[in-house]
Amino acid sequence: MKTKVFALMGGFTSLMQVFALCTPWWVTIQRDDRRTVYGLWYTLSCEVSQGVSFCKTLYHHAPHEEHDVIDVVSNFLEYEIETMVGACVCLAATALGTIYRHRGANKDSLSYGLGGTLLLVASGTTVWVAIGKLIKENIDLAGHETIDIPWSLIISALFSTVPFVLAAVTIPLLVANFRELKRDRVAARALEDKIQSSTANLYTTDISMDRLPGYHNMGTSLTPAPSFSTLDSTAFPGDPVTTEPIKSGEIFL
């Protein structure tokens, strides 16, 4: 999968998750001439007259008189948190996965790919926890109420499956990078062992002077160089030897 396709799919998935959690069609109940549409943040109570709906918005966390309408769904706050966290995590995972692929999906950017994959799985799992509970809410209500199609729930379920797909197509790249990293470590360890072995052999080699070229039959005692005070005429051939001490101030031409 190309980097642009990955980024577009992840970004569009996050957008549709936000759209689903903001729309009210998670649970829809039809009662005679009244239709109640439950969302995660608010509920629409609609009076149906001659095919025309007159709807009133009821916010879950605001005081109102129609508590019996709101209390049909068990825990709105829990579903709000789970779906919001899932959408935000999906967006962050898409960013990490895009960076990983943009850098060539190599071992140097392995942390981005691994982090993005884990976040994609976490995103899909978190939203599906809320989806599973709300599916159960619809099934329980269907036993004694007339249930209409929960469109927001369906949209959220579809697009919360996409993170698992994106994680699945990233895993082969991660496996290849892990193998490459393992090969590099093995090669580096083998090279290090070879260098240590060579160094150890160098320090343990017995080198004697008589084995070196030019040092055959060389004694161990050295004769010190003659001092200037003992130099005689043989020191500098052809130069006369001055036996008298040199007086101060004399200049020799």
Side-chain angles (χ1 to χ4, degrees):
M1 182 181 293
K2 295 183 179 180
T3 302
K4 291 182 178 179
V5 176
F6 181 91
L8 288 174
M9 287 185 64
F12 187 67
T13 297
S14 302
L15 180 64
M16 293 306 295
Q17 286 180 346
V18 172
F19 172 78
L21 69 90
C22 291
T23 52
W25 294 280
W26 289 80
V27 178
T28 305
I29 297 176
Q30 184 72 42
R31 295 175 179 173
D32 298 330
D33 58 348
R34 188 174 70 178
R35 192 165 183 259
T36 309
V37 182
Y38 294 90
L40 302 181
W41 305 91
Y42 60 95
T43 295
L44 296 179
S45 179
C46 303
E47 298 292 336
V48 181
S49 176
Q50 297 179 354
V52 180
S53 298
F54 300 94
C55 299
K56 178 171 61 175
T57 302
L58 305 175
Y59 293 99
H60 300 163
H61 307 296
H64 50 77
E65 298 178 355
E66 301 184 41
H67 291 284
D68 61 321
V69 175
I70 297 299
D71 293 338
V72 170
V73 179
S74 61
N75 193 347
F76 287 107
L77 180 60
E78 177 184 347
Y79 304 145
E80 292 170 5
I81 294 174
E82 289 169 346
T83 52
M84 283 183 61
V85 169
C88 294
V89 171
C90 181
L91 188 60
T94 301
L96 291 177
T98 303
I99 293 173
Y100 172 61
R101 290 171 175 274
H102 181 69
R103 293 187 175 184
N106 52 39
K107 60 184 180 61
D108 296 330
S109 58
L110 188 59
S111 58
Y112 290 98
L114 183 60
T117 302
L118 293 176
L119 289 180
L120 284 170
V121 175
S123 171
T125 303
T126 302
V127 179
W128 262 102
V129 169
I131 291 171
K133 294 177 181 178
L134 281 162
I135 289 175
K136 185 178 181 301
E137 298 268 10
N138 279 273
I139 293 174
D140 292 341
L141 289 171
H144 52 85
E145 298 282 357
T146 302
I147 301 296
D148 202 354
I149 299 175
W151 293 109
S152 297
L153 180 60
I154 293 173
I155 292 173
S156 183
L158 289 175
F159 285 95
S160 295
T161 307
V162 176
F164 295 110
V165 176
L166 296 178
V169 299
T170 307
I171 288 176
L173 296 176
L174 293 174
V175 172
N177 293 158
F178 272 118
R179 289 177 178 176
E180 182 183 358
L181 184 62
K182 184 178 180 180
R183 286 196 301 267
D184 290 349
R185 287 180 177 177
V186 171
R189 190 178 296 110
L191 180 61
E192 183 180 356
D193 294 341
K194 185 176 181 181
I195 293 174
Q196 290 179 353
S197 177
S198 301
T199 305
N201 292 334
L202 177 64
Y203 281 104
T204 56
T205 301
D206 183 16
I207 301 177
S208 57
M209 297 295 292
D210 57 355
R211 295 182 182 179
L212 299 177
Y215 281 89
H216 297 288
N217 302 323
M218 183 176 180
T220 57
S221 60
L222 298 177
T223 303
S227 61
F228 285 102
S229 61
T230 60
L231 293 176
D232 55 11
S233 61
T234 61
F236 302 96
D239 293 341
V241 178
T242 304
T243 58
E244 297 181 358
I246 300 174
K247 296 180 180 180
S248 177
E250 293 184 348
I251 300 176
F252 294 89
L253 299 177

